[in-house]
Amino acid sequence: MTRTFSGIKPTGHLTLGNYLGAVRRWAETDQHRSDALFSIVDLHALTVEHDPARVRRLSRQAATLLLAAGLDPELCTVFVQSHVDEHARLSYLLECTATDGEMRRMIQYKEKGARARAAGESVRLSLLTYPVLMAADILAYATDEVPVGDDQAQHVELTRDLATRFNQRYGHVFTVPKATHPQVAARVMDLQDPTSKMGKSMDGGAGIVCLLDDPDVVRRKIMRAVTDSGQDVVLDRDTRPGVANLLEILAACENGNPESLAGAYESYGALKKDTAEAVVELLRPLRKRHAELAADPSYVDEVLRAGAARARGLARPLVDRAYRAIGLLPAG
């Protein structure tokens, strides 16, 4: 069976964009068609200034939400990255395989580094090297496919390069994975800035719908969404990005077609109202299941323990083989 790996960072509350763009597909498709591993990649949250207690809280919340969204521990492996030492072990070997130039060419490093400098903050070394840790996340499990959006494609290419280079220098150890770009994934944009992706880093922002927002908050955010200067409801991502975003959210919620939906509306108000109600109804069972799981934290703990044990069992032999291949003396 094809093996897939996907991870999500606990750097903010999970959003509608996370759900429609990835998590729903993980639950409805990926865990059924592949040997799938889903990780809360908490080590990646340490690359920027953070509150330790908040990282722990968001890690648990993310795990609970993934289970509430339908990930089934009987079908897939759900675990926390830092619970499996092989990620950090392998990351160092890959740092010894990567080059400084490769790291500095990574687009996200350039963008995040520039923002940090503009804010007068120092840039952590881990921000430069975290794509190598991401490569370790993938390669540790002999992953075949990595479902990603366009913004992560560069990281998968780096992973492929590092795997190929290591194999050529030290003998074949790693499976060279490929990125997949699922067609069913929705790209949800910020409701106040529809040219930017809806992201976790803007917690509480008016343009961000969090999965655990109260229904009235969801309605208010969507009803206040930025639209465009025109009056007619048309799907034009270039000149009407606000309206296009609402149409695509509504279509994703109802498994419909945004172009067809555009013809059904004569006003922005009606489109916003229907989109708001569709999102509220989409999230209702997820919120209910999250509340049930949050009331029984021992169940979530056990899922994460079992998931880490299985992940460790998969990763350790491969990482040990990489240690031997690169020239390190095996432990007695």
Side-chain angles (χ1 to χ4, degrees):
M1 182 180 287
T2 298
R3 181 167 292 159
T4 63
F5 177 93
S6 296
I8 197 157
K9 285 190 293 187
T11 51
H13 298 287
L14 299 192
T15 71
L16 179 66
N18 296 128
Y19 181 69
L20 292 178
V23 175
R24 182 170 68 170
R25 185 187 70 249
W26 295 353
E28 294 181 353
T29 303
D30 290 345
Q31 68 173 343
H32 298 284
R33 72 170 184 85
S34 65
D35 179 9
L37 295 102
F38 301 106
S39 182
I40 295 88
V41 287
D42 52 345
L43 295 175
H44 290 288
L46 311 185
T47 60
V48 295
E49 194 66 33
H50 64 277
D51 173 16
R54 185 170 185 268
V55 171
R56 284 191 290 270
R57 185 171 65 251
L58 289 176
S59 296
R60 171 172 287 281
Q61 184 185 92
T64 306
L65 279 168
L66 292 183
L67 296 174
L71 294 190
D72 184 347
E74 298 297 319
L75 298 176
C76 65
T77 303
V78 181
F79 69 103
V80 175
Q81 178 192 34
S82 64
H83 294 177
V84 181
D85 294 345
E86 279 62 37
H87 291 254
R89 290 180 62 207
L90 181 54
S91 182
Y92 182 72
L93 297 196
L94 296 178
E95 284 187 15
C96 296
T97 308
T99 68
D100 175 76
E102 284 175 315
M103 295 299 98
R104 295 188 185 278
R105 285 194 296 270
M106 302 303 287
I107 294 171
Q108 291 203 14
Y109 169 72
K110 292 180 180 179
E111 293 177 347
K112 292 181 179 180
R115 285 199 297 269
R117 294 184 190 95
E121 300 172 354
S122 59
V123 179
R124 299 187 180 193
L125 178 61
S126 56
L127 185 62
L128 177 65
T129 60
Y130 91 93
V132 174
L133 176 59
M134 186 180 294
D137 298 338
I138 297 166
L139 296 179
Y141 299 102
T143 301
D144 299 297
E145 296 181 359
V146 188
V148 292
D150 293 339
D151 58 335
Q152 294 293 331
Q154 188 185 34
H155 290 145
V156 180
E157 279 306 306
L158 175 70
T159 301
R160 290 172 54 83
D161 291 343
L162 295 180
T164 300
R165 188 179 306 153
F166 190 101
N167 288 346
Q168 290 173 344
R169 288 180 179 175
Y170 308 115
H172 191 277
V173 173
F174 298 120
T175 299
V176 179
K178 66 177 181 179
T180 59
H181 305 280
Q183 296 301 310
V184 295
R187 184 172 172 83
V188 180
M189 311 306 281
D190 188 294
L191 295 172
Q192 293 299 312
D193 178 11
T195 62
S196 300
K197 192 170 76 167
M198 185 181 288
K200 300 189 298 296
S201 58
M202 296 294 290
D203 277 356
I208 309 297
V209 174
C210 297
L211 296 183
L212 295 179
D213 278 345
D214 289 334
D216 286 345
V217 173
V218 173
R219 293 186 181 98
R220 184 164 60 250
K221 288 180 177 179
I222 294 176
M223 292 304 295
R224 294 176 179 174
V226 168
T227 49
D228 308 291
S229 57
Q231 296 298 319
D232 52 331
V233 179
V234 295
L235 181 68
D236 188 327
R237 296 173 181 85
D238 295 325
T239 64
R240 305 279 184 88
V243 173
N245 190 35
L246 292 171
L247 287 168
E248 291 184 355
I249 291 171
L250 179 58
C253 289
E254 298 183 345
N255 294 315
N257 183 295
E259 292 185 2
S260 300
L261 287 172
Y265 290 93
E266 297 182 354
S267 71
Y268 292 163
L271 172 61
K272 288 181 176 181
K273 183 175 184 298
D274 283 359
T275 302
E277 292 307 317
V279 171
V280 167
E281 289 306 310
L282 178 76
L283 298 183
R284 190 183 303 280
L286 184 149
R287 286 169 46 82
K288 180 176 183 292
R289 181 59 178 152
H290 175 271
E292 295 168 352
L293 291 170
D296 184 15
S298 62
Y299 171 74
V300 177
D301 287 341
E302 180 53 36
V303 168
L304 295 178
R305 274 195 296 269
R310 179 172 188 266
R312 199 176 299 119
L314 292 172
R316 182 164 294 171
L318 189 148
V319 175
D320 285 347
R321 191 159 72 250
Y323 266 56
R324 291 192 299 270
I326 206 170
L328 299 178
L329 189 66

